[in-house]
Structure formats: structure tokens, C-alpha cells
Amino acid sequence: MEVCVMIMMEVYNYVRTIFWSEWFWFGGSGHSWVDFIDKDDGIRHPQYTDLRWALYLGLVIFLIRKIAERYVAAPIGRLFGIRDTKPRKPPPNPVLENAFRCHKFPDHDKMQNLSKQTDLSTRKVERWFRMRRNQDRPSLMKRFTEAAWRFAFYFSVFIYGVVVLWDKPWFADSTNCWVGYPHHHIPPSIFWYYMIEIGFYSSLMFSQFIDVKRKDFWEMFTHHVATMLLLCFSWSGNFVRVGTLVLVIHDAVDFWMEAAKMAKYLKAQRLCDVLFAIFGIVWFVTRLVIFPVRIIASTLFYAHPIVGFGPVYYTYNILLISLQILHCVWTVLIIRVLYFGWYKNRKEVTDIRSSEEENVSEDENGHAIQPNNNHNHNHNHNHNKVKAVS
């Protein structure tokens, strides 16, 4: 046992030495960690120990979120008629519950087998599974409060970011992200902007497991991990200037999607369509034009003569390109909404990443029915309705 511990400690020390080596971070650029020591010249360099503030802020942001959702967003939702109703629970049945843990959507043969085991008709078994699946789906109120919180944060931090960066030379010309490196001063406004953003994404990484589950769960989790690594690497290596541009570009589009979702939950469909259209335009401009043209091109072609060809340079660019790949994946979903939602004249747009509650009402033959004729007409007309991404 002691030998294993000693080997693990040796491996840890070796990896730690390589990771913090000047070769790993600066390549052959001639820079060193000595350049990051603050002197009496008015320049405040970032230190990796500063990242502890991001962890503290992550906890604070999570607590603020819970308070805001419960005492601000929820009352607003109730004011507009959103009810925090939960689906009916299915009758207790250990056999069906065990089967549900293995297969949430059992096939016909499995249904027949469960029907024989429980002495229930196939229709009743199917209805039990629909009710049980609905138990795992979040209520409309939970979706609304989550969207409201994210809208408030994204909008606020975007405004703050624009105000902070407006007079900075790299905001208009990204090549200035590298001029004078590594002696880039970090004023308090930039410091807290970075720490708040890292804290927010760190809270998202963990709260995502208790938030509304969506079909692109792992894509979003990968996005959060890549963003966190980018922010932490950029802070430690003083690539903060380009990091602030990545943040403000991302924040410029996110609050439009959250606003569209809020409008959808409030049944303001026309407003939802307008907000989603704006979201699509802003997404295209920021994620598919500005991000690759100004950010990725800058890090690929302008950074290396100054920062060197160290492993961090390649890691940083790989993470940026990974984000761009995710942007392209989500763009395909947005195009689907734009094409089928407007060009094909569909009437309703919902969220393809969330699961809709299943109908458990049945007619005398055991078939699922709609609550009223008008809704049933719309359902038949739009049976292939397109749903929006967030």
C-alpha cells in the first residue's frame, strides 16, 4: 500500500512539474513566470491563486439563483397564470417500477409480458408507464423560473461586460489581445467580470444535474467544461483579453433564447416567435461570424509569435475549436426551427431539448385523447411541429 502511495505521489509531482513548467505555458517565446510577478509599475498580473474567488462566487451565485427563482421568478409566473402542478402519481406497483428502471419505453412484447405478470390489461400497463414517465418531467413553473434566472444573469452580465470593455483597445481590434503580452494590467472591473463568469459556469456544471434535463445534456456539459477550462487557462496564462471577448460574444446571444422560452411558457406565442427570430440572427452573427473570424483566427495566426508554441497554445486552440463545433451542431437545430417553423408554416414552436408531458387521459377504448376538440385539431394539423433549442 505504501509503495502504491509513493508511486502515485511521484506521478503527481512529475505531472505537476510538467504542467507548471515554462515550456508547457510559454514554449520558446522567452517568457517566464517571473514576468507575472507584480512590481511597482502599476501593472496587476493575474495569479492562478485568484481562481479561489471563482469557487466562492460559484456558491454565492447558486444561492442567489435559488432565492431568485423562489421569491422573484415564481411569484411572477403565478401572476401570469403559471401553476406549479405536478402530474398524477401512478398506483404503486413494484413489478412495473422495477421494469421502469430498466426500460422507460418498453416495446410491445415487454408490455405483454408485464401485463401477464401484473394481471393488468396492456392498456393499463401502457397508461402506468406514461404516468410514471411524467413524474420525471419538470413542471412548467420549474422551467419558467430556470429560464427567468438565466435570462436575468445573462442579460446583466452582458451589459456589464460591454460597459467594462467598451473603451478597451482589444474590444474593437482583437489583435490588441496580444500586444504587450504578458504585461497586461488586470483592473478590478475585469477581475470581477472574470471571477463572476467562472463562478457562474462552475455552478452550471454541477446544477445541470438537478436542472431541467434536456436531450443535449452531454453536449451542454461538454460546453461548460470547455468554457471552464478556457477561462481557467486564460486567467493563469494572462490570456484574459481574448477571454473577455469570448465571454461577451457568448453572453450576447444567450439571454434572447431564455426570453423566448419565458414567452413560450407564458403562452405569448407571437412574442416567442419574434424573440426566437432575433436569437437566430444574433446567434449567426456572434457564433458563426465574429467568434471564428475574430477570436479563433486571432489565436491561431496572431498569438503564436508572441506567446510561443507551448502545449497551452495548442490546448487553448483545441478548446476554442471544440466550442465552434458545438456551435455548428446547435446551428443545425436552429436552422430546423427556422425552416420548418416559418417556411413550412407551422404554428407552434417548442423546446426539442425538453420532454413534453404525455397525455394520460383515455376514451372508453383506452386510447389517449386530447382535452378538447380545438386542441385536437391543432394537434392533427401540426403533428410534426418543430421545436426550438435553447
Side-chain angles (χ1 to χ4, degrees):
M1 184 65 182
E2 292 181 358
V3 175
C4 293
V5 173
M6 290 179 61
I7 293 175
M8 292 177 62
M9 289 300 299
E10 288 292 332
V11 172
Y12 169 75
N13 290 330
Y14 176 77
V15 173
R16 184 174 181 273
T17 301
I18 294 296
F19 181 79
W20 290 112
S21 67
E22 294 176 350
W23 163 81
F24 185 85
W25 286 86
F26 308 112
S29 64
H31 302 306
S32 68
W33 291 117
V34 176
D35 297 326
F36 286 73
I37 298 175
D38 290 338
K39 305 178 179 63
D40 295 330
D41 55 2
I43 298 178
R44 200 278 191 192
H45 297 85
Q47 308 294 327
Y48 74 91
T49 54
D50 296 331
L51 295 174
R52 71 183 187 278
W53 288 102
L55 297 178
Y56 303 151
L57 286 171
L59 295 174
V60 172
I61 289 172
F62 183 78
L63 292 176
I64 293 175
R65 170 192 170 173
K66 289 302 179 182
I67 294 172
E69 288 182 350
R70 182 170 183 176
Y71 297 105
V72 180
I76 293 175
R78 286 192 291 268
L79 181 65
F80 284 91
I82 297 179
R83 296 180 181 179
D84 193 11
T85 56
K86 297 181 179 180
R88 287 181 297 166
K89 293 183 178 181
N93 192 310
V95 175
L96 296 182
E97 186 66 37
N98 289 332
F100 180 82
R101 293 192 185 102
C102 299
H103 303 284
K104 293 186 178 182
F105 294 89
D107 56 24
H108 179 72
D109 292 339
K110 185 67 175 178
M111 286 288 188
Q112 294 284 354
N113 187 29
L114 290 172
S115 176
K116 294 177 182 179
Q117 293 182 48
T118 58
D119 292 328
L120 297 174
S121 67
T122 305
R123 285 294 179 189
K124 288 185 177 180
V125 174
E126 291 175 350
R127 186 172 187 271
W128 189 95
F129 270 86
R130 287 198 301 271
M131 295 178 68
R132 183 62 182 83
R133 286 193 294 267
N134 283 339
Q135 289 296 306
D136 295 337
R137 295 187 172 98
S139 66
L140 185 62
M141 178 63 79
K142 179 172 177 57
R143 296 182 185 186
F144 175 80
T145 56
E146 181 182 308
W149 157 251
R150 295 194 181 193
F151 168 80
F153 179 85
Y154 287 134
F155 181 75
S156 301
V157 80
F158 171 69
I159 296 300
Y160 177 75
V162 171
V163 171
V164 167
L165 297 174
W166 189 258
D167 60 345
K168 303 299 186 291
W170 66 90
F171 189 61
D173 184 0
S174 57
T175 57
N176 286 313
C177 291
W178 317 108
V179 175
Y181 179 86
H183 301 295
H184 293 163
H185 175 59
I186 307 296
S189 57
I190 296 292
F191 177 90
W192 290 113
Y193 180 45
Y194 233 73
M195 293 301 109
I196 290 172
E197 290 276 17
I198 297 177
F200 176 72
Y201 280 103
S202 65
S203 69
L204 279 185
M205 284 179 58
F206 298 103
S207 66
Q208 188 178 0
F209 291 90
I210 62 174
D211 287 342
V212 176
K213 295 296 186 297
R214 295 185 171 89
K215 296 177 183 178
D216 65 343
F217 175 89
W218 290 111
E219 290 90 338
M220 185 60 72
F221 184 76
T222 302
H223 177 273
H224 295 335
V225 171
T227 303
M228 277 288 297
L229 290 175
L230 275 170
L231 293 174
C232 292
F233 271 105
S234 62
W235 182 263
S236 300
N238 203 4
F239 306 142
V240 175
R241 291 185 175 184
V242 71
T244 57
L245 295 182
V246 172
L247 289 173
V248 77
I249 287 172
H250 277 72
D251 294 334
V253 65
D254 290 332
F255 67 86
W256 290 107
M257 186 70 256
E258 301 303 331
K261 290 165 61 178
M262 290 170 61
K264 177 66 184 178
Y265 301 148
L266 295 175
K267 302 186 185 303
Q269 188 61 45
R270 189 180 297 274
L271 177 60
C272 173
D273 293 340
V274 171
L275 291 171
F276 184 78
I278 298 174
F279 161 79
I281 295 171
V282 178
W283 174 280
F284 177 81
V285 173
T286 57
R287 303 293 179 92
L288 299 184
V289 178
I290 297 178
F291 187 75
V293 172
R294 290 196 56 194
I295 305 302
I296 296 181
S298 178
T299 58
L300 283 175
F301 304 116
Y302 297 104
H304 63 83
I306 300 174
V307 304
F309 279 110
V312 165
Y313 168 81
Y314 296 106
T315 302
Y316 200 76
N317 280 286
I318 289 172
L319 291 171
L320 286 173
I321 293 171
S322 299
L323 284 181
Q324 187 59 33
I325 292 173
L326 288 173
H327 295 164
C328 294
V329 171
W330 285 322
T331 300
V332 174
L333 299 179
I334 296 172
I335 292 174
R336 286 176 56 192
V337 174
L338 294 175
Y339 178 77
F340 289 102
W342 282 285
Y343 182 75
K344 289 293 187 181
N345 241 355
R346 304 297 185 189
K347 290 186 177 180
E348 188 169 353
V349 179
T350 52
D351 190 345
I352 64 173
R353 303 192 309 150
S354 302
S355 298
E356 297 294 328
E357 185 173 320
E358 297 179 70
N359 197 307
V360 295
S361 300
E362 298 176 346
D363 59 16
E364 64 272 11
N365 296 320
H367 295 86
I369 61 174
Q370 300 297 333
N372 57 61
N373 292 333
N374 184 53
H375 182 83
N376 190 46
H377 171 75
N378 288 336
H379 174 77
N380 293 332
H381 181 68
N382 294 322
H383 63 285
N384 288 324
K385 63 186 179 181
V386 181
K387 305 167 185 180
V389 297
S390 58

